[in-house]
Amino acid sequence: MAEGAAERRAAGELEASVLAALWAAEGPRTAGQVQNSLGAGLARTTVTTALTRLYEKGTVGRERSGRGFAYFPVQDSHGLTARRMHHELDKDHDRPTALARFVSDLDPEDERILRDLLGNGDGK
């Protein structure tokens, strides 16, 4: 394996790092500002590409900032997790079975939380 390929980030790792930087920010950030906050020796074009992909997925929003854009997250990390769960369910042709499998694989604490959220908990 080539050295450059060995040093590549795992799929989604760069986008996760970029999102973490945006969540930690006080407001919208340009690609250069995100690049500086990551401090990983990444090229600004690499960060810009990640931000553009996140924008195209609807994960971040953007507003004009000079000749470019400043980006901001449209959801917190919990909202993003929920969105991913919905996306996976939407891809399955048998949604009831997928939901049943998900629920049957929950650990007892997660099951309790889900029951409480659905209003069927025993109040514990």
Side-chain angles (χ1 to χ4, degrees):
M1 181 181 290
E3 185 177 322
E7 293 175 5
R8 285 195 169 174
R9 294 173 179 258
E13 187 179 324
L14 176 58
E15 288 182 3
S17 296
V18 167
L19 274 172
L22 290 174
W23 284 323
E26 298 278 328
R29 292 290 180 253
T30 65
Q33 291 168 323
V34 172
Q35 175 196 24
N36 289 337
S37 69
L38 293 175
L42 295 168
R44 188 167 66 189
T45 54
T46 301
V47 174
T48 300
T49 298
L51 286 164
T52 301
R53 288 182 178 156
L54 288 167
Y55 174 75
E56 290 169 352
K57 292 177 184 179
T59 306
V60 301
R62 68 184 184 190
E63 59 188 35
R64 272 280 173 209
S65 178
R67 294 187 305 164
F69 294 99
Y71 296 84
F72 53 90
V74 296
Q75 295 177 319
D76 62 11
S77 64
H78 306 298
L80 182 59
T81 298
R83 181 175 168 183
R84 287 176 178 154
M85 292 168 71
H86 282 284
H87 179 73
E88 290 303 315
L89 282 171
D90 290 344
K91 291 190 311 188
D92 198 300
H93 69 280
D94 188 358
R95 190 180 190 106
T97 300
L99 278 169
R101 291 268 171 88
F102 175 76
V103 171
S104 69
D105 289 342
L106 290 174
D107 65 43
E109 179 61 14
D110 286 341
E111 185 177 341
R112 184 197 62 75
I113 292 168
L114 184 58
R115 285 183 190 282
D116 288 347
L117 290 169
L118 294 173
N120 297 325
D122 58 5
K124 289 183 182 175

